[in-house]
Amino acid sequence: MQQRATITEQNRPALPRHVAIIMDGNGRWAAQRGLLRSEGHRAGVDAFERICEHAADLGIAHLTFYAFSAENWARPQGEVDALMALFRRQLSEAKRRRVENEQKRWRIRYIGDLQPGGLLPADILALVDEMQAESSMQDKTVVNLAINYGGQQEILQAVKQLAQACATGERDPASLTEQDIEAQLYTAGQPPPDLIIRPSGEQRLSNFLLWQSAYAEFWFSDILWPDFSTADFDQALADYAKRNRRYGGA
Ligand code: FPP
């Protein structure tokens, strides 16, 4: 059996500043147990809480979790409704745990198309606004939840904003830089992910953080997300610490 890494004060590896996770495999986890897919997602929320808590305790400053893609609306309505119900429940619970969150100094942010009148229900958007505003002064750990998120859509809306600025003469197209695009992304002001984790055996990005992942390290595993443990997370960090990041240099 493979030796598992457990992080202690003594063997703490060089920590990534930003870890992003594609929470995949909930459906298969449920099917293996003869459960509904929605029950897999519920177990996925438990894994989210477990890993979020652990990563924040380790001192990782930015975390991003892919909870619902812009393409996930194509799932059966019952599954979409179950996921929306989970977001509602999570947001309401986070509201109840406000004091605890303040003590932990967690800043909660939502990334994705959160336009009023868009596909996300208005009551969820209101809770999101409240949660973001309430935690906006916190600075220890930023927890980003990607909902109604698509990397291509994110780049497109950034380009549209810059095109608009060029059309009004506010900007000169020749002067545009990568930083101008970054400043229009949902993640503006945050470092790009150093490490992207995808469990469940799939090895693709699925439209997640396309611009931001230019120099990210990837870590894949066959574990289904609801089974993902703090030891698995520590293993990903230990493997990451051994990577030689060259950013295109020699
Ligand atoms: C992908 O697994 C998972 C999703 C599309 C949903 C992820 C959402 C959660 C874990 C809930 C998060 C909620 C909060 C509030 C953090 P899949 O369903 O595609 O699994 P499969 O590939 O095995 O079918």
Side-chain angles (χ1 to χ4, degrees):
M1 211 174 114
Q2 204 197 347
Q3 191 74 28
R4 305 305 288 276
T6 303
I7 293 178
T8 63
E9 284 300 327
Q10 286 70 40
N11 69 2
R12 181 180 288 254
L15 280 185
R17 272 195 305 171
H18 185 168
V19 178
I21 303 183
I22 301 176
M23 302 187 285
D24 196 13
N26 300 342
R28 276 163 287 168
W29 183 92
Q32 283 173 3
R33 289 161 178 76
L35 300 171
L36 294 170
R37 290 178 63 81
S38 56
E39 294 178 82
H41 295 314
R42 198 163 309 138
V45 177
D46 294 341
F48 156 75
E49 288 179 347
R50 178 164 72 236
I51 298 304
C52 202
E53 200 77 50
H54 179 65
D57 284 350
L58 289 175
I60 293 169
H62 297 261
L63 294 161
T64 301
F65 294 87
Y66 203 5
F68 193 86
S69 77
E71 289 74 30
N72 283 154
W73 297 106
R75 293 192 174 204
Q77 193 57 43
E79 184 174 347
V80 170
D81 292 344
L83 280 162
M84 294 301 138
L86 282 179
F87 299 147
R88 257 184 215 106
R89 199 185 68 177
Q90 180 70 20
L91 280 156
S92 307
E93 270 173 25
K95 208 169 131 177
R96 270 202 302 281
R97 288 198 302 240
R98 216 182 83 202
V99 176
E100 199 184 311
N101 285 345
E102 268 170 27
Q103 280 162 356
K104 290 192 281 195
R105 291 168 43 217
W106 283 12
R107 179 171 186 175
I108 314 294
R109 298 187 66 167
Y110 285 80
I111 60 170
D113 182 355
L114 308 173
Q115 293 293 328
L119 291 170
L120 284 167
D123 66 312
I124 291 188
L125 289 175
L127 284 166
V128 162
D129 274 353
E130 209 178 317
M131 200 62 218
Q132 294 198 129
E134 249 171 29
S135 68
S136 64
M137 302 306 285
Q138 304 304 334
D139 56 1
K140 182 173 176 281
T141 312
V142 181
V143 180
N144 298 290
L145 276 156
I147 57 173
N148 194 21
Y149 175 88
Q152 291 178 335
Q153 293 86 333
E154 179 183 32
I155 295 168
L156 177 63
Q157 64 79 36
V159 168
K160 280 183 179 170
Q161 295 190 57
L162 293 172
Q164 182 64 24
C166 291
T168 59
E170 190 191 324
R171 290 298 308 264
D172 169 7
S175 75
L176 295 177
T177 64
E178 288 91 339
Q179 287 73 30
D180 289 315
I181 296 204
E182 268 156 24
Q184 301 298 337
L185 299 179
Y186 304 135
T187 51
Q190 299 193 57
D194 300 295
L195 173 64
I196 297 183
I197 294 175
R198 182 165 194 160
S200 96
E202 313 291 356
Q203 303 196 354
R204 54 178 172 262
L205 257 182
S206 299
N207 206 11
F208 187 45
L209 301 178
L210 295 185
W211 176 282
Q212 298 89 331
S213 63
Y215 284 100
E217 297 292 326
F218 290 86
W219 193 85
F220 299 109
S221 112
D222 289 339
I223 301 152
L224 302 176
W225 175 247
D227 289 331
F228 204 85
S229 67
T230 55
D232 296 320
F233 189 79
D234 289 353
Q235 185 65 55
L237 293 187
D239 292 346
Y240 166 82
K242 291 187 210 129
R243 305 272 175 95
N244 177 12
R245 303 184 76 191
R246 290 188 296 279
Y247 300 94

